[in-house]
Amino acid sequence: MTFKTLFGATAAAVALSAGLLATPPALAQTDRDGQQRWINIVNRTGVTIREFYMTDVDTRGWGDDRLGQNVIEPRDSLRVVPTPRQRQRGYCQFDMKVVFANERTVERRGVNLCSTSNLVCGSTSSCSAN
């Protein structure tokens, strides 16, 4: 390890411990305003969740699939975090759309991420926020 690399790593560690660097959004438990903005998608169905869309209530359209190359298998879950832009806007209310491998979809409107931790899909026609 060169001195430059060692110095950079040490400086980053000191800044992180002093709270000068932000925690990456995927690891953060709360945003700057003290609110948590993430959701655990829980699949209690026998069908794989193939796609998941989430947008704040004032944005039209669903945007990109938030799972990317991932899927949520039956009896599995995955935490999804809003995009950095959505987090910076400070919204708590989000619309969500779940697409199953059998082409069934479920939409939930106005889910409050600031007070909800889970979106539990119990069937391919129903997902409840709690």
Coordinates of all heavy atoms in Angstrom, one line a residue, residues 41-116:
I41 N -39.9 -5.5 1.0 CA -40.9 -6.2 0.1 C -40.9 -7.7 0.6 O -39.9 -8.4 0.4 CB -40.6 -6.1 -1.4 CG1 -40.3 -4.7 -1.8 CG2 -41.8 -6.7 -2.2 CD1 -41.4 -3.7 -1.4
V42 N -42.0 -8.2 1.1 CA -42.1 -9.5 1.7 C -43.0 -10.3 0.8 O -44.2 -10.0 0.6 CB -42.6 -9.5 3.1 CG1 -42.7 -10.9 3.7 CG2 -41.8 -8.6 4.0
N43 N -42.4 -11.4 0.2 CA -43.2 -12.3 -0.7 C -43.7 -13.5 0.1 O -42.9 -14.5 0.3 CB -42.3 -12.7 -1.9 CG -43.1 -13.4 -2.9 OD1 -44.3 -13.7 -2.7 ND2 -42.5 -13.7 -4.0
R44 N -44.9 -13.5 0.4 CA -45.5 -14.7 1.1 C -46.4 -15.5 0.1 O -47.3 -16.2 0.6 CB -46.4 -14.2 2.3 CG -45.5 -13.7 3.4 CD -46.2 -13.6 4.7 NE -45.3 -13.1 5.7 CZ -45.7 -12.4 6.8 NH1 -47.0 -12.1 6.9 NH2 -44.8 -12.0 7.7
T45 N -46.2 -15.3 -1.1 CA -46.9 -16.0 -2.2 C -46.1 -17.2 -2.7 O -44.9 -17.4 -2.3 CB -47.3 -15.1 -3.4 OG1 -46.1 -14.9 -4.1 CG2 -47.8 -13.8 -2.9
G46 N -46.7 -18.0 -3.6 CA -45.9 -19.1 -4.2 C -45.4 -18.7 -5.6 O -44.9 -19.5 -6.3
V47 N -45.4 -17.3 -5.9 CA -45.0 -16.8 -7.2 C -43.9 -15.8 -7.0 O -44.0 -14.9 -6.1 CB -46.2 -16.2 -7.9 CG1 -45.8 -15.7 -9.3 CG2 -47.3 -17.2 -8.0
T48 N -42.9 -15.8 -7.8 CA -41.7 -14.9 -7.7 C -42.2 -13.5 -8.1 O -43.0 -13.3 -9.0 CB -40.6 -15.3 -8.7 OG1 -40.2 -16.6 -8.3 CG2 -39.5 -14.4 -8.7
I49 N -41.7 -12.5 -7.3 CA -41.9 -11.1 -7.7 C -40.8 -10.7 -8.6 O -39.6 -10.8 -8.3 CB -41.9 -10.2 -6.4 CG1 -43.1 -10.5 -5.5 CG2 -41.9 -8.7 -6.8 CD1 -43.1 -9.8 -4.2
R50 N -41.2 -10.3 -9.8 CA -40.3 -10.1 -10.9 C -39.9 -8.6 -11.0 O -38.7 -8.3 -11.4 CB -40.9 -10.5 -12.2 CG -40.0 -10.5 -13.4 CD -40.7 -10.9 -14.7 NE -41.6 -9.8 -15.0 CZ -42.8 -10.0 -15.7 NH1 -43.1 -11.3 -16.0 NH2 -43.6 -9.0 -15.9
E51 N -40.8 -7.7 -10.7 CA -40.5 -6.3 -10.8 C -41.2 -5.5 -9.6 O -42.2 -6.0 -9.1 CB -41.1 -5.7 -12.1 CG -40.6 -6.3 -13.3 CD -41.4 -6.0 -14.6 OE1 -42.0 -4.9 -14.6 OE2 -41.4 -6.8 -15.5
F52 N -40.6 -4.4 -9.3 CA -41.2 -3.5 -8.2 C -40.9 -2.1 -8.6 O -39.8 -1.7 -8.9 CB -40.5 -3.8 -6.9 CG -41.0 -2.9 -5.8 CD1 -42.3 -3.1 -5.3 CD2 -40.3 -1.9 -5.3 CE1 -42.8 -2.2 -4.3 CE2 -40.7 -1.0 -4.3 CZ -42.0 -1.2 -3.8
Y53 N -41.9 -1.3 -8.6 CA -41.8 0.1 -8.9 C -42.3 1.0 -7.7 O -43.2 0.6 -7.0 CB -42.7 0.5 -10.1 CG -42.4 -0.3 -11.4 CD1 -42.9 -1.6 -11.6 CD2 -41.4 0.2 -12.3 CE1 -42.5 -2.3 -12.7 CE2 -41.0 -0.6 -13.4 CZ -41.6 -1.8 -13.6 OH -41.2 -2.5 -14.7
M54 N -41.6 2.1 -7.5 CA -42.0 3.0 -6.4 C -41.7 4.4 -6.8 O -40.6 4.7 -7.3 CB -41.1 2.6 -5.2 CG -41.3 3.5 -4.0 SD -40.5 2.8 -2.5 CE -38.8 2.8 -2.9
T55 N -42.7 5.3 -6.6 CA -42.5 6.7 -6.9 C -43.2 7.5 -5.9 O -44.2 7.0 -5.3 CB -43.0 7.0 -8.3 OG1 -42.6 8.3 -8.7 CG2 -44.4 6.7 -8.5
D56 N -42.8 8.7 -5.6 CA -43.5 9.6 -4.7 C -44.9 9.9 -5.3 O -45.0 9.8 -6.5 CB -42.7 10.8 -4.3 CG -42.4 11.7 -5.5 OD1 -43.3 12.3 -6.1 OD2 -41.2 11.8 -5.9
V57 N -45.8 10.3 -4.5 CA -47.2 10.5 -5.0 C -47.4 11.6 -6.0 O -48.4 11.6 -6.7 CB -48.2 10.6 -3.8 CG1 -48.2 9.4 -2.9 CG2 -47.8 11.8 -2.9
D58 N -46.4 12.5 -6.1 CA -46.6 13.6 -7.0 C -45.9 13.4 -8.3 O -45.9 14.3 -9.2 CB -46.1 14.9 -6.4 CG -47.0 15.4 -5.3 OD1 -48.2 15.1 -5.3 OD2 -46.6 16.2 -4.4
T59 N -45.3 12.2 -8.5 CA -44.6 11.9 -9.8 C -45.5 11.0 -10.7 O -46.0 10.0 -10.2 CB -43.3 11.3 -9.5 OG1 -42.5 12.1 -8.7 CG2 -42.6 10.9 -10.8
R60 N -45.7 11.4 -11.9 CA -46.5 10.6 -12.8 C -45.6 9.5 -13.4 O -44.4 9.8 -13.7 CB -47.0 11.5 -13.9 CG -48.1 12.4 -13.4 CD -48.6 13.3 -14.6 NE -49.5 14.3 -14.1 CZ -50.8 14.3 -14.2 NH1 -51.4 13.3 -14.9 NH2 -51.5 15.3 -13.8
G61 N -46.1 8.4 -13.7 CA -45.4 7.3 -14.3 C -44.6 6.5 -13.2 O -44.4 7.0 -12.1
W62 N -44.3 5.3 -13.5 CA -43.6 4.4 -12.6 C -42.1 4.5 -12.6 O -41.5 4.1 -11.6 CB -44.1 3.0 -12.8 CG -45.5 2.7 -12.4 CD1 -46.6 2.5 -13.2 CD2 -46.0 2.7 -11.1 NE1 -47.7 2.4 -12.5 CE2 -47.4 2.5 -11.2 CE3 -45.5 2.9 -9.8 CZ2 -48.2 2.4 -10.1 CZ3 -46.3 2.9 -8.7 CH2 -47.7 2.6 -8.8
G63 N -41.5 4.9 -13.6 CA -40.1 5.0 -13.7 C -39.5 3.6 -13.9 O -40.2 2.7 -14.5
D64 N -38.3 3.4 -13.4 CA -37.6 2.1 -13.6 C -37.9 1.1 -12.6 O -38.3 1.4 -11.4 CB -36.1 2.4 -13.6 CG -35.6 3.3 -14.7 OD1 -36.2 3.2 -15.8 OD2 -34.6 4.0 -14.5
D65 N -37.8 -0.2 -13.0 CA -38.0 -1.3 -12.1 C -36.9 -1.2 -11.0 O -35.7 -1.2 -11.3 CB -37.8 -2.6 -12.9 CG -37.8 -3.9 -12.0 OD1 -38.2 -3.8 -10.8 OD2 -37.3 -4.9 -12.5
R66 N -37.3 -1.1 -9.7 CA -36.4 -0.9 -8.6 C -35.6 -2.2 -8.2 O -34.7 -2.2 -7.5 CB -37.1 -0.4 -7.4 CG -37.8 0.9 -7.6 CD -36.9 2.0 -7.8 NE -36.0 1.9 -6.7 CZ -35.0 2.7 -6.3 NH1 -34.8 3.7 -7.1 NH2 -34.3 2.5 -5.3
L67 N -36.0 -3.4 -8.8 CA -35.3 -4.6 -8.5 C -34.1 -4.8 -9.4 O -33.2 -5.6 -9.1 CB -36.3 -5.8 -8.6 CG -37.4 -5.9 -7.6 CD1 -38.2 -7.1 -7.8 CD2 -37.0 -5.7 -6.2
G68 N -34.2 -4.2 -10.5 CA -33.1 -4.4 -11.5 C -33.0 -5.8 -11.9 O -34.0 -6.4 -12.4
Q69 N -31.8 -6.4 -11.7 CA -31.6 -7.8 -12.1 C -32.1 -8.8 -11.0 O -32.1 -10.0 -11.2 CB -30.1 -8.1 -12.4 CG -29.6 -7.3 -13.5 CD -30.3 -7.6 -14.8 OE1 -30.5 -8.8 -15.1 NE2 -30.6 -6.6 -15.6
N70 N -32.5 -8.3 -9.8 CA -33.0 -9.1 -8.7 C -34.4 -9.5 -8.9 O -35.2 -8.8 -9.6 CB -32.8 -8.4 -7.4 CG -31.4 -8.1 -7.1 OD1 -30.5 -8.9 -7.2 ND2 -31.1 -6.8 -6.6
V71 N -34.8 -10.5 -8.2 CA -36.2 -10.9 -8.1 C -36.4 -11.3 -6.6 O -35.4 -11.5 -5.9 CB -36.6 -12.2 -9.0 CG1 -36.5 -11.8 -10.4 CG2 -35.8 -13.4 -8.6
I72 N -37.7 -11.4 -6.2 CA -37.9 -11.8 -4.8 C -38.7 -13.1 -4.9 O -39.8 -13.2 -5.3 CB -38.8 -10.7 -4.1 CG1 -38.1 -9.4 -4.1 CG2 -39.0 -11.1 -2.6 CD1 -38.9 -8.2 -3.6
E73 N -38.0 -14.2 -4.5 CA -38.5 -15.5 -4.6 C -39.6 -15.7 -3.5 O -39.7 -14.9 -2.5 CB -37.4 -16.5 -4.3 CG -36.4 -16.5 -5.4 CD -36.8 -17.0 -6.8 OE1 -37.9 -17.7 -6.8 OE2 -36.1 -16.7 -7.8
P74 N -40.5 -16.7 -3.6 CA -41.5 -17.0 -2.6 C -40.8 -17.2 -1.2 O -39.7 -17.8 -1.2 CB -42.1 -18.3 -3.1 CG -42.0 -18.2 -4.6 CD -40.7 -17.6 -4.8
R75 N -41.4 -16.7 -0.2 CA -40.9 -16.8 1.2 C -39.6 -16.0 1.4 O -38.9 -16.3 2.3 CB -40.8 -18.2 1.6 CG -42.1 -19.0 1.7 CD -42.0 -20.4 1.9 NE -41.1 -21.1 1.0 CZ -41.5 -21.5 -0.3 NH1 -42.7 -21.2 -0.7 NH2 -40.6 -22.1 -1.0
D76 N -39.4 -15.0 0.6 CA -38.1 -14.2 0.7 C -38.5 -12.8 0.8 O -39.7 -12.4 0.6 CB -37.2 -14.4 -0.5 CG -35.8 -14.1 -0.2 OD1 -35.5 -13.7 1.0 OD2 -34.9 -14.3 -1.1
S77 N -37.6 -11.9 1.1 CA -37.9 -10.4 1.2 C -36.7 -9.7 0.7 O -35.6 -10.2 0.6 CB -38.2 -10.0 2.6 OG -37.1 -10.2 3.5
L78 N -36.9 -8.4 0.4 CA -35.8 -7.5 -0.1 C -36.1 -6.1 0.3 O -37.2 -5.7 0.2 CB -35.6 -7.6 -1.6 CG -34.5 -6.8 -2.2 CD1 -33.2 -7.4 -1.8 CD2 -34.7 -6.8 -3.7
R79 N -35.1 -5.4 0.9 CA -35.3 -4.0 1.3 C -35.1 -3.1 0.0 O -34.1 -3.3 -0.7 CB -34.4 -3.6 2.4 CG -34.5 -2.1 2.8 CD -33.7 -1.8 4.0 NE -34.3 -2.4 5.1 CZ -33.9 -2.2 6.4 NH1 -32.8 -1.5 6.6 NH2 -34.6 -2.8 7.4
V80 N -36.0 -2.2 -0.2 CA -35.9 -1.3 -1.3 C -35.8 0.1 -0.8 O -36.7 0.5 0.1 CB -37.0 -1.5 -2.3 CG1 -36.9 -0.4 -3.5 CG2 -37.1 -2.9 -2.9
V81 N -34.9 0.9 -1.3 CA -34.7 2.3 -0.8 C -35.1 3.2 -2.0 O -34.7 3.0 -3.1 CB -33.2 2.5 -0.4 CG1 -33.0 4.0 0.0 CG2 -32.8 1.6 0.7
P82 N -35.8 4.3 -1.7 CA -36.1 5.3 -2.8 C -34.8 5.8 -3.4 O -33.7 5.7 -2.8 CB -36.8 6.4 -2.1 CG -37.4 5.8 -0.9 CD -36.4 4.7 -0.5
T83 N -34.9 6.3 -4.6 CA -33.7 6.9 -5.3 C -33.2 8.1 -4.5 O -34.0 8.7 -3.7 CB -34.1 7.4 -6.7 OG1 -35.0 8.5 -6.6 CG2 -34.6 6.3 -7.6
P84 N -31.9 8.5 -4.6 CA -31.4 9.6 -3.9 C -32.3 10.9 -4.2 O -32.5 11.7 -3.2 CB -30.0 9.8 -4.5 CG -29.6 8.4 -4.8 CD -30.9 7.8 -5.4
R85 N -32.7 11.1 -5.4 CA -33.6 12.2 -5.7 C -34.9 12.2 -4.9 O -35.3 13.2 -4.4 CB -33.9 12.3 -7.2 CG -34.7 13.5 -7.6 CD -34.9 13.6 -9.1 NE -35.7 14.7 -9.5 CZ -37.0 14.6 -9.7 NH1 -37.6 13.4 -9.6 NH2 -37.7 15.7 -10.0
Q86 N -35.5 11.0 -4.9 CA -36.8 10.9 -4.1 C -36.5 11.2 -2.6 O -37.3 11.8 -2.0 CB -37.4 9.5 -4.3 CG -37.9 9.2 -5.7 CD -38.3 7.8 -5.9 OE1 -37.7 6.9 -5.3 NE2 -39.3 7.6 -6.7
R87 N -35.4 10.7 -2.1 CA -35.1 10.9 -0.7 C -34.9 12.4 -0.4 O -35.3 12.9 0.6 CB -33.9 10.1 -0.3 CG -34.2 8.6 -0.3 CD -32.9 7.8 -0.1 NE -32.3 7.9 1.2 CZ -32.5 7.0 2.1 NH1 -33.1 5.9 1.9 NH2 -31.9 7.2 3.3
Q88 N -34.1 13.0 -1.3 CA -33.8 14.5 -1.1 C -35.1 15.3 -1.1 O -35.1 16.4 -0.5 CB -32.8 14.9 -2.1 CG -31.5 14.4 -1.9 CD -30.5 14.6 -3.1 OE1 -31.0 15.2 -4.2 NE2 -29.3 14.3 -3.0
R89 N -36.1 14.9 -1.9 CA -37.3 15.7 -2.0 C -38.1 15.6 -0.7 O -39.0 16.4 -0.5 CB -38.2 15.2 -3.2 CG -37.5 15.5 -4.5 CD -38.2 15.0 -5.7 NE -39.5 15.7 -5.8 CZ -40.5 15.3 -6.6 NH1 -40.3 14.2 -7.3 NH2 -41.6 16.0 -6.7
G90 N -37.8 14.7 0.2 CA -38.5 14.6 1.5 C -39.9 14.0 1.6 O -40.6 14.2 2.6
Y91 N -40.3 13.3 0.5 CA -41.6 12.7 0.6 C -41.7 11.5 1.5 O -40.7 10.8 1.7 CB -42.0 12.2 -0.8 CG -42.5 13.3 -1.7 CD1 -41.6 14.1 -2.5 CD2 -43.9 13.5 -1.9 CE1 -42.1 15.1 -3.3 CE2 -44.3 14.5 -2.8 CZ -43.4 15.3 -3.5 OH -43.9 16.3 -4.3
C92 N -42.8 11.3 2.1 CA -43.1 10.1 2.9 C -44.1 9.2 2.1 O -44.1 8.0 2.3 CB -43.7 10.5 4.3 SG -42.4 11.1 5.4
Q93 N -45.0 9.8 1.4 CA -46.0 9.1 0.7 C -45.5 8.6 -0.7 O -45.1 9.4 -1.5 CB -47.3 10.0 0.4 CG -47.8 10.5 1.7 CD -48.6 9.4 2.5 OE1 -49.2 8.6 1.9 NE2 -48.4 9.5 3.8
F94 N -45.6 7.3 -0.9 CA -45.2 6.7 -2.2 C -46.2 5.7 -2.7 O -47.0 5.1 -2.0 CB -43.9 5.9 -1.9 CG -42.7 6.7 -1.8 CD1 -42.4 7.4 -0.6 CD2 -41.8 6.9 -2.8 CE1 -41.3 8.2 -0.4 CE2 -40.7 7.7 -2.7 CZ -40.4 8.4 -1.5
D95 N -46.3 5.7 -4.1 CA -47.1 4.7 -4.8 C -46.2 3.5 -5.2 O -45.0 3.8 -5.5 CB -47.7 5.3 -6.0 CG -48.7 6.4 -5.7 OD1 -49.3 6.4 -4.6 OD2 -48.9 7.3 -6.6
M96 N -46.7 2.3 -5.1 CA -45.9 1.1 -5.4 C -46.7 0.2 -6.3 O -47.9 0.1 -6.2 CB -45.6 0.4 -4.1 CG -44.8 1.3 -3.1 SD -44.5 0.5 -1.6 CE -43.8 1.8 -0.7
K97 N -45.9 -0.5 -7.1 CA -46.5 -1.5 -8.0 C -45.6 -2.7 -8.0 O -44.4 -2.7 -8.2 CB -46.6 -0.9 -9.4 CG -47.1 -1.9 -10.5 CD -47.1 -1.2 -11.8 CE -47.3 -2.1 -13.0 NZ -47.3 -1.4 -14.2
V98 N -46.3 -3.9 -7.7 CA -45.6 -5.2 -7.7 C -46.0 -6.0 -8.9 O -47.2 -6.1 -9.2 CB -46.0 -6.0 -6.4 CG1 -45.3 -7.3 -6.4 CG2 -45.6 -5.2 -5.2
V99 N -45.0 -6.6 -9.6 CA -45.3 -7.4 -10.8 C -44.8 -8.8 -10.5 O -43.6 -9.0 -10.3 CB -44.7 -6.8 -12.1 CG1 -45.0 -7.7 -13.3 CG2 -45.1 -5.4 -12.3
F100 N -45.7 -9.8 -10.6 CA -45.4 -11.1 -10.3 C -45.0 -11.8 -11.6 O -45.3 -11.4 -12.7 CB -46.5 -11.9 -9.7 CG -46.8 -11.4 -8.3 CD1 -47.7 -10.4 -8.1 CD2 -46.2 -12.0 -7.2 CE1 -48.0 -9.9 -6.8 CE2 -46.5 -11.5 -5.9 CZ -47.4 -10.5 -5.7
A101 N -44.3 -13.0 -11.5 CA -43.8 -13.7 -12.7 C -45.0 -14.2 -13.5 O -44.8 -14.5 -14.7 CB -42.9 -14.9 -12.2
N102 N -46.2 -14.4 -12.9 CA -47.3 -14.9 -13.7 C -48.1 -13.7 -14.3 O -49.2 -13.9 -14.7 CB -48.3 -15.7 -12.8 CG -48.9 -14.9 -11.6 OD1 -48.6 -13.7 -11.5 ND2 -49.7 -15.5 -10.8
E103 N -47.5 -12.5 -14.4 CA -48.0 -11.3 -15.0 C -49.1 -10.6 -14.2 O -49.6 -9.6 -14.6 CB -48.6 -11.6 -16.4 CG -47.6 -12.2 -17.3 CD -46.3 -11.3 -17.6 OE1 -46.5 -10.0 -17.6 OE2 -45.2 -11.8 -17.7
R104 N -49.5 -11.1 -13.0 CA -50.4 -10.4 -12.1 C -49.7 -9.2 -11.5 O -48.5 -9.2 -11.2 CB -50.9 -11.3 -11.0 CG -51.6 -12.6 -11.4 CD -53.1 -12.4 -11.8 NE -53.9 -11.6 -10.9 CZ -54.8 -12.1 -10.0 NH1 -55.0 -13.4 -9.9 NH2 -55.5 -11.3 -9.3
T105 N -50.4 -8.1 -11.3 CA -49.9 -6.9 -10.7 C -50.7 -6.4 -9.5 O -52.0 -6.7 -9.5 CB -49.8 -5.7 -11.7 OG1 -51.1 -5.4 -12.1 CG2 -48.9 -6.1 -12.9
V106 N -50.1 -5.8 -8.6 CA -50.8 -5.2 -7.4 C -50.2 -3.8 -7.3 O -49.0 -3.6 -7.3 CB -50.5 -6.0 -6.1 CG1 -51.1 -5.3 -4.9 CG2 -51.0 -7.4 -6.2
E107 N -51.1 -2.8 -7.1 CA -50.7 -1.5 -6.9 C -51.2 -1.0 -5.5 O -52.3 -1.3 -5.1 CB -51.3 -0.5 -8.0 CG -50.7 -0.8 -9.3 CD -51.3 0.2 -10.4 OE1 -51.9 1.3 -10.0 OE2 -51.1 0.0 -11.6
R108 N -50.3 -0.3 -4.8 CA -50.7 0.3 -3.5 C -50.4 1.8 -3.7 O -49.3 2.2 -4.1 CB -49.9 -0.3 -2.4 CG -50.2 -1.7 -2.1 CD -51.5 -1.9 -1.4 NE -51.6 -1.0 -0.3 CZ -52.4 -1.1 0.7 NH1 -53.1 -2.2 0.8 NH2 -52.4 -0.3 1.7
R109 N -51.3 2.6 -3.3 CA -51.2 4.1 -3.5 C -51.0 4.7 -2.1 O -51.7 4.3 -1.1 CB -52.4 4.7 -4.2 CG -52.6 4.1 -5.6 CD -51.7 4.7 -6.6 NE -52.0 4.1 -7.9 CZ -51.4 4.6 -9.0 NH1 -50.6 5.6 -8.9 NH2 -51.6 4.0 -10.1
G110 N -50.2 5.7 -2.0 CA -50.0 6.5 -0.8 C -49.5 5.8 0.4 O -49.9 6.1 1.5
V111 N -48.6 4.9 0.2 CA -47.9 4.2 1.3 C -47.0 5.1 2.0 O -46.1 5.7 1.4 CB -47.2 2.9 0.8 CG1 -46.4 2.2 2.0 CG2 -48.2 1.9 0.2
N112 N -47.1 5.3 3.3 CA -46.3 6.2 4.1 C -45.0 5.5 4.5 O -45.0 4.7 5.5 CB -47.1 6.7 5.3 CG -46.3 7.8 6.0 OD1 -45.1 7.9 6.0 ND2 -47.1 8.7 6.7
L113 N -43.9 5.7 3.8 CA -42.6 5.1 4.2 C -42.1 5.6 5.5 O -41.3 4.9 6.1 CB -41.6 5.3 3.1 CG -41.8 4.6 1.8 CD1 -40.5 4.8 0.9 CD2 -42.1 3.2 2.0
C114 N -42.6 6.7 6.0 CA -42.1 7.3 7.2 C -42.7 6.5 8.4 O -42.2 6.7 9.6 CB -42.3 8.8 7.3 SG -41.4 9.7 6.0
S115 N -43.7 5.8 8.2 CA -44.3 5.0 9.3 C -44.6 3.6 9.0 O -45.2 2.9 9.8 CB -45.7 5.7 9.7 OG -46.6 5.6 8.6
T116 N -44.2 3.1 7.8 CA -44.4 1.7 7.4 C -43.0 1.1 7.1 O -42.2 1.7 6.4 CB -45.3 1.7 6.1 OG1 -46.5 2.3 6.4 CG2 -45.5 0.3 5.6

